Amino acid sequence: MRVHIGGDHAAWELKQALVAALQSDGHDVVDHGPAAYDAQDDYPVFCIPAAEAVVADPGSLGVVLGGSGNGEQIAANKVKGVRAALAYDADTARLAREHNNANVVAVGARKHTEAEAIELVRSFLATEYSGEERHTRRIDLLATYETTGSLPG
C-alpha cells in the first residue's frame, strides 16, 4: 500500500522511525517532509500536502504527525475528501478505519513511545472499512455537508 506521511519538528524522530518500519512492512512510503529537522517549522506545510496526496492517490492512506496530533488532524481535515482521525491507541486507530473509513491517521509523537506509535499506525493500515450501512450513511452525510455546506432534510 502507498502511505503518504508528513509531520513537524515535534515528530521528526518518530517520522523517521515510521518511514523505516512501514517500508520494512512492504509499504510504499511517500515522505512529504520535513526533509530535515527545523525546530521552527509549521505542520500545515507538511500535513496538508500529505493529505492532498491521499485524495489524489486512490487506495492510499496517510499519516500526519506532530506533538499531540491535534493540529495535524485539523490541517489534514481541511483537505476536501479527507477523513483524518486522531488515534490514541490501537483500538481508536482500528475503529477510525472500520467505522469511519478514515483515510488519514494523526498521531501525537509526544503522547506515545515509538513502539506504541508504530503499533497505532500498523493497526490503522491493516484495518479495512466495514461497509456497514449505518457507517456509510454517516460518512455520506459528512460528504454532503463538505460539498454543499448543509445537511439533508
Side-chain angles (χ1 to χ4, degrees):
M1 170 183 300
R2 183 162 302 122
V3 179
H4 296 276
I5 190 168
D8 69 0
H9 60 278
W12 167 252
E13 290 179 12
L14 175 59
K15 183 174 69 77
Q16 302 306 90
L18 267 168
V19 167
L22 297 179
Q23 287 174 333
S24 176
D25 292 346
H27 296 290
D28 176 14
V29 180
V30 180
D31 187 345
H32 294 270
Y37 178 82
D38 176 356
Q40 297 301 311
D41 67 13
D42 299 309
Y43 60 84
V45 174
F46 309 108
C47 295
I48 289 173
E52 288 174 332
V54 169
V55 173
D57 186 8
S60 69
L61 293 174
V63 179
V64 294
L65 306 164
S68 70
N70 283 316
E72 297 74 24
Q73 176 199 26
I74 292 167
N77 276 319
K78 296 298 181 185
V79 176
K80 185 177 180 179
V82 167
R83 287 175 308 283
L86 177 64
Y88 53 86
D89 59 22
D91 194 43
T92 56
R94 180 184 57 76
L95 289 170
R97 289 284 300 135
E98 190 176 291
H99 289 187
N100 307 113
N101 200 15
N103 51 8
V104 174
V105 65
V107 179
R110 294 179 177 153
K111 303 299 177 185
H112 307 283
T113 66
E114 182 180 292
E116 290 168 345
I118 290 170
E119 178 190 2
L120 297 180
V121 172
R122 283 178 170 154
S123 293
F124 180 81
L125 298 177
T127 304
E128 295 291 328
Y129 174 54
S130 72
E132 289 182 36
E133 187 278 329
R134 66 188 171 116
H135 299 309
T136 299
R137 182 178 69 244
R138 294 165 186 160
I139 293 165
D140 288 347
L141 286 169
L142 294 171
T144 297
Y145 185 81
E146 182 178 55
T147 301
T148 68
S150 62
L151 293 169

